[in-house]
Amino acid sequence: MGMNMTEKILAMHAGHEKVSAGQLVTCKLDMVLANDVTAPPSFKEFEKIGGPVFDNKKIALVPDHFTPNKDIKSAGLAKTVREFADKHSIVNYFEVGRGGIEHVILPEMGIVAPGMLTIGADSHTCTYGALGGFSTGVGTTDLAVALATGEAWFKVPETIKVELTGTKPHNITGKDVILTLIGMIGVDGALYKAIEFSGEGISSLSMDDRLTISNMAIEAGGKNGIFPVDEVTLAYIKDRIKKSYTVVEPDTDAKYCQIIKINLSDLVPVVAFPHLPGNTKKVSEIENIKIDQVVIGSCTNGRIEDMKIAAAIMKNRSVYKDVRCIVIPGSQWVYKESIKRGYVDIFVDAGAAVSTPTCGPCLGAHMGILAAGEKCVSTTNRNFRGRMGHVDSEVYLSGPQVAAASAVLGRIAQPDDLQ
Amino acid sequence: MISEGKAWRYGDNIDTDVIIPARYLNTFDPKELALHCMVDIDKTFAQKVCLGDIIVGGKNFGCGSSREHAPVAIKASGVPVVIADSFARIFYRNGINIGLPLLEIGSNVEKIKADDRLKIDTATGKIENITTGDIFYAHPLPGFVNDIAKAGGLINYIKEKKSNA
């Protein structure tokens, strides 16, 4: 029996010729990531182990959650990260104004590559599966040990194969693909499992689509969400990745615990209703739901294509009078590019507020907190109870095209409703 | 370790945002986190939980964020063990890594009701529902994951390994 992509990457990094589902392995890590929420407690644990960091070039520290700092306590957290980065000469430290949201900048800057094994103290670290690497989220203790030893333990997961056929229609985004999948299998449908995407439908997905899809593998309970490396991947990484990398392909006789088929041609815009990413409904079947806020951004949908899609819809239109629309480019590069291409003008002219990169509203940290009873359409990744503010507020997850159309119409809508 | 306490019963998909909301993540002081534990789903928990009480959830307990603040908040509340049908993956790792035993018992969890009195032996995984008389055994931890749990968490485990090397 051959190995699938996840098994191959774990085997490579564990120094084994072969691994199979259920096996416990200790792997060498290529990249270790943390942010301003998770890094500071891990430094405390790291000190208990003692010694230097395992490799100052294989650690990325990105203050992005409570930044620009929202209060004195969070300023203290960011300061701790800054001082650690300085003390240990961390190469990949990205200060506010020089980076952006961790999962947007690591692929964008060529820090993660195909075949790499990355762990991050942030659950959406699974994003880098889009590039054909194994990446997964861990907590602060795993992170502390990784900083010291460059290693982490894993149970080799069983893998679900998601076969994508057909071609993605023009009004569909990566977000619709992943929300549809989570709607099918539920928020624990991939619990303790890997998700491997395959099929000819992948070629119609852009890199930004794939990053969005892999980002939300965790919302199905998945350990990772991995894509094969194709021409689209190679074109994306060509000028970004300077180091050598390994393209991993699944064996033809690789084992999968489940096969799920999705025909991309059949997809329609969907939203996830409160309070789970798996509560998906087709936008066309939704009754009039009046909204108070729209957020376009985050590590899920804060990339240039998301800005492009939203700008195309908001051009020469206005945000509905009763709605606040917050647009957050995910990185300094996305921000600058959005200015250059005229997207920021379009957003501002439409009456949206455009912010510097931050995770702020996604986790209810700051900027865009909801009051009791308020409803928000958001391109972020979670809509748990109280996620974006008051426990009696509601978050509806969508792609950027649905979010932008909803901002204009003041209710949950899709671009077709604007005609 | 044997512990005894009352069951705080919750449903499926208890996420890390309700265990400890993001607005309290600007600290990682366990005592401060414990003050807000479960606040968005159960305002009474933080005030009324007693040392030794046990949290019992349904499927996918701890889904969502990687924030270790969530199991830390539970442990700091005096809860010695969490029982669920199943746990979300990162939460499960985090629990083992910080020395908070997490016992998976599948659908047997439905036989535990709120306020039932439970007696638990985390070494053997034996769960005794004193109120109903039911006895369950949790799925055992595999290989070195059990060693990590026995060492009281990953940091102790790594330190032990270092000193034995």
PDB file of all heavy atoms in Angstrom, chain A residues 114-131:
ATOM      1  N   PRO A 114       6.237  24.018  -0.799  1.00  0.00           N
ATOM      2  CA  PRO A 114       5.779  22.635  -0.945  1.00  0.00           C
ATOM      3  C   PRO A 114       6.661  21.662  -0.158  1.00  0.00           C
ATOM      4  O   PRO A 114       7.882  21.850  -0.084  1.00  0.00           O
ATOM      5  CB  PRO A 114       5.919  22.373  -2.454  1.00  0.00           C
ATOM      6  CG  PRO A 114       5.797  23.719  -3.084  1.00  0.00           C
ATOM      7  CD  PRO A 114       6.442  24.672  -2.113  1.00  0.00           C
ATOM      8  N   GLY A 115       6.047  20.646   0.408  1.00  0.00           N
ATOM      9  CA  GLY A 115       6.780  19.593   1.114  1.00  0.00           C
ATOM     10  C   GLY A 115       7.238  19.977   2.513  1.00  0.00           C
ATOM     11  O   GLY A 115       7.745  19.139   3.255  1.00  0.00           O
ATOM     12  N   MET A 116       7.051  21.235   2.902  1.00  0.00           N
ATOM     13  CA  MET A 116       7.511  21.667   4.226  1.00  0.00           C
ATOM     14  C   MET A 116       6.571  21.194   5.333  1.00  0.00           C
ATOM     15  O   MET A 116       5.376  21.028   5.109  1.00  0.00           O
ATOM     16  CB  MET A 116       7.595  23.204   4.287  1.00  0.00           C
ATOM     17  CG  MET A 116       8.920  23.750   3.787  1.00  0.00           C
ATOM     18  SD  MET A 116       8.994  25.565   3.785  1.00  0.00           S
ATOM     19  CE  MET A 116       8.775  25.975   5.512  1.00  0.00           C
ATOM     20  N   LEU A 117       7.138  21.002   6.520  1.00  0.00           N
ATOM     21  CA  LEU A 117       6.319  20.685   7.689  1.00  0.00           C
ATOM     22  C   LEU A 117       6.342  21.894   8.624  1.00  0.00           C
ATOM     23  O   LEU A 117       7.388  22.270   9.137  1.00  0.00           O
ATOM     24  CB  LEU A 117       6.847  19.437   8.403  1.00  0.00           C
ATOM     25  CG  LEU A 117       5.826  18.688   9.276  1.00  0.00           C
ATOM     26  CD1 LEU A 117       6.362  17.327   9.680  1.00  0.00           C
ATOM     27  CD2 LEU A 117       5.398  19.450  10.488  1.00  0.00           C
ATOM     28  N   THR A 118       5.179  22.497   8.772  1.00  0.00           N
ATOM     29  CA  THR A 118       5.057  23.719   9.568  1.00  0.00           C
ATOM     30  C   THR A 118       4.055  23.500  10.686  1.00  0.00           C
ATOM     31  O   THR A 118       2.987  22.938  10.441  1.00  0.00           O
ATOM     32  CB  THR A 118       4.546  24.878   8.685  1.00  0.00           C
ATOM     33  OG1 THR A 118       5.430  25.041   7.574  1.00  0.00           O
ATOM     34  CG2 THR A 118       4.461  26.187   9.453  1.00  0.00           C
ATOM     35  N   ILE A 119       4.397  23.937  11.894  1.00  0.00           N
ATOM     36  CA  ILE A 119       3.365  24.025  12.924  1.00  0.00           C
ATOM     37  C   ILE A 119       3.280  25.475  13.391  1.00  0.00           C
ATOM     38  O   ILE A 119       4.263  26.223  13.344  1.00  0.00           O
ATOM     39  CB  ILE A 119       3.599  23.112  14.149  1.00  0.00           C
ATOM     40  CG1 ILE A 119       4.869  23.497  14.914  1.00  0.00           C
ATOM     41  CG2 ILE A 119       3.614  21.647  13.758  1.00  0.00           C
ATOM     42  CD1 ILE A 119       4.947  22.855  16.297  1.00  0.00           C
ATOM     43  N   GLY A 120       2.091  25.855  13.806  1.00  0.00           N
ATOM     44  CA  GLY A 120       1.913  27.216  14.278  1.00  0.00           C
ATOM     45  C   GLY A 120       0.929  27.240  15.426  1.00  0.00           C
ATOM     46  O   GLY A 120      -0.045  26.476  15.431  1.00  0.00           O
ATOM     47  N   ALA A 121       1.198  28.108  16.387  1.00  0.00           N
ATOM     48  CA  ALA A 121       0.259  28.242  17.494  1.00  0.00           C
ATOM     49  C   ALA A 121      -0.864  29.172  17.050  1.00  0.00           C
ATOM     50  O   ALA A 121      -1.018  30.298  17.523  1.00  0.00           O
ATOM     51  CB  ALA A 121       0.974  28.757  18.730  1.00  0.00           C
ATOM     52  N   ASP A 122      -1.595  28.680  16.080  1.00  0.00           N
ATOM     53  CA  ASP A 122      -2.806  29.319  15.572  1.00  0.00           C
ATOM     54  C   ASP A 122      -3.496  28.243  14.759  1.00  0.00           C
ATOM     55  O   ASP A 122      -2.870  27.599  13.914  1.00  0.00           O
ATOM     56  CB  ASP A 122      -2.473  30.528  14.696  1.00  0.00           C
ATOM     57  CG  ASP A 122      -3.742  31.248  14.275  1.00  0.00           C
ATOM     58  OD1 ASP A 122      -4.420  30.795  13.331  1.00  0.00           O
ATOM     59  OD2 ASP A 122      -4.091  32.261  14.913  1.00  0.00           O
ATOM     60  N   SER A 123      -4.776  28.052  15.010  1.00  0.00           N
ATOM     61  CA  SER A 123      -5.451  26.904  14.392  1.00  0.00           C
ATOM     62  C   SER A 123      -5.498  26.984  12.873  1.00  0.00           C
ATOM     63  O   SER A 123      -5.586  25.966  12.201  1.00  0.00           O
ATOM     64  CB  SER A 123      -6.868  26.768  14.955  1.00  0.00           C
ATOM     65  OG  SER A 123      -7.604  27.937  14.685  1.00  0.00           O
ATOM     66  N   HIS A 124      -5.412  28.202  12.306  1.00  0.00           N
ATOM     67  CA  HIS A 124      -5.486  28.320  10.846  1.00  0.00           C
ATOM     68  C   HIS A 124      -4.142  28.160  10.158  1.00  0.00           C
ATOM     69  O   HIS A 124      -4.001  28.469   8.965  1.00  0.00           O
ATOM     70  CB  HIS A 124      -6.183  29.626  10.472  1.00  0.00           C
ATOM     71  CG  HIS A 124      -7.611  29.606  10.911  1.00  0.00           C
ATOM     72  ND1 HIS A 124      -8.047  30.277  12.033  1.00  0.00           N
ATOM     73  CD2 HIS A 124      -8.671  28.917  10.440  1.00  0.00           C
ATOM     74  CE1 HIS A 124      -9.333  30.014  12.212  1.00  0.00           C
ATOM     75  NE2 HIS A 124      -9.736  29.193  11.270  1.00  0.00           N
ATOM     76  N   THR A 125      -3.171  27.633  10.883  1.00  0.00           N
ATOM     77  CA  THR A 125      -1.874  27.302  10.287  1.00  0.00           C
ATOM     78  C   THR A 125      -2.032  26.278   9.159  1.00  0.00           C
ATOM     79  O   THR A 125      -1.166  26.159   8.300  1.00  0.00           O
ATOM     80  CB  THR A 125      -0.913  26.788  11.383  1.00  0.00           C
ATOM     81  OG1 THR A 125      -0.839  27.779  12.408  1.00  0.00           O
ATOM     82  CG2 THR A 125       0.481  26.540  10.854  1.00  0.00           C
ATOM     83  N   CYS A 126      -3.141  25.580   9.146  1.00  0.00           N
ATOM     84  CA  CYS A 126      -3.409  24.605   8.069  1.00  0.00           C
ATOM     85  C   CYS A 126      -3.480  25.266   6.690  1.00  0.00           C
ATOM     86  O   CYS A 126      -3.503  24.569   5.667  1.00  0.00           O
ATOM     87  CB  CYS A 126      -4.679  23.813   8.361  1.00  0.00           C
ATOM     88  SG  CYS A 126      -6.086  24.805   8.860  1.00  0.00           S
ATOM     89  N   THR A 127      -3.468  26.587   6.642  1.00  0.00           N
ATOM     90  CA  THR A 127      -3.525  27.336   5.365  1.00  0.00           C
ATOM     91  C   THR A 127      -2.474  26.876   4.355  1.00  0.00           C
ATOM     92  O   THR A 127      -2.726  26.849   3.148  1.00  0.00           O
ATOM     93  CB  THR A 127      -3.315  28.849   5.646  1.00  0.00           C
ATOM     94  OG1 THR A 127      -4.261  29.268   6.623  1.00  0.00           O
ATOM     95  CG2 THR A 127      -3.486  29.680   4.392  1.00  0.00           C
ATOM     96  N   TYR A 128      -1.271  26.532   4.839  1.00  0.00           N
ATOM     97  CA  TYR A 128      -0.149  26.302   3.919  1.00  0.00           C
ATOM     98  C   TYR A 128      -0.243  24.969   3.172  1.00  0.00           C
ATOM     99  O   TYR A 128       0.578  24.692   2.301  1.00  0.00           O
ATOM    100  CB  TYR A 128       1.197  26.444   4.653  1.00  0.00           C
ATOM    101  CG  TYR A 128       1.186  27.611   5.623  1.00  0.00           C
ATOM    102  CD1 TYR A 128       1.645  27.480   6.936  1.00  0.00           C
ATOM    103  CD2 TYR A 128       0.640  28.831   5.238  1.00  0.00           C
ATOM    104  CE1 TYR A 128       1.585  28.544   7.826  1.00  0.00           C
ATOM    105  CE2 TYR A 128       0.569  29.902   6.128  1.00  0.00           C
ATOM    106  CZ  TYR A 128       1.034  29.749   7.415  1.00  0.00           C
ATOM    107  OH  TYR A 128       0.959  30.799   8.292  1.00  0.00           O
ATOM    108  N   GLY A 129      -1.248  24.175   3.518  1.00  0.00           N
ATOM    109  CA  GLY A 129      -1.536  22.979   2.734  1.00  0.00           C
ATOM    110  C   GLY A 129      -1.837  23.340   1.287  1.00  0.00           C
ATOM    111  O   GLY A 129      -1.644  22.526   0.377  1.00  0.00           O
ATOM    112  N   ALA A 130      -2.280  24.574   1.061  1.00  0.00           N
ATOM    113  CA  ALA A 130      -2.574  25.039  -0.299  1.00  0.00           C
ATOM    114  C   ALA A 130      -1.346  24.946  -1.202  1.00  0.00           C
ATOM    115  O   ALA A 130      -1.462  24.795  -2.411  1.00  0.00           O
ATOM    116  CB  ALA A 130      -3.081  26.474  -0.258  1.00  0.00           C
ATOM    117  N   LEU A 131      -0.160  25.037  -0.582  1.00  0.00           N
ATOM    118  CA  LEU A 131       1.094  25.000  -1.347  1.00  0.00           C
ATOM    119  C   LEU A 131       1.685  23.590  -1.414  1.00  0.00           C
ATOM    120  O   LEU A 131       2.809  23.408  -1.872  1.00  0.00           O
ATOM    121  CB  LEU A 131       2.126  25.922  -0.687  1.00  0.00           C
ATOM    122  CG  LEU A 131       1.787  27.410  -0.627  1.00  0.00           C
ATOM    123  CD1 LEU A 131       2.758  28.142   0.286  1.00  0.00           C
ATOM    124  CD2 LEU A 131       1.824  28.034  -2.012  1.00  0.00           C
TER     125      LEU A 131
END
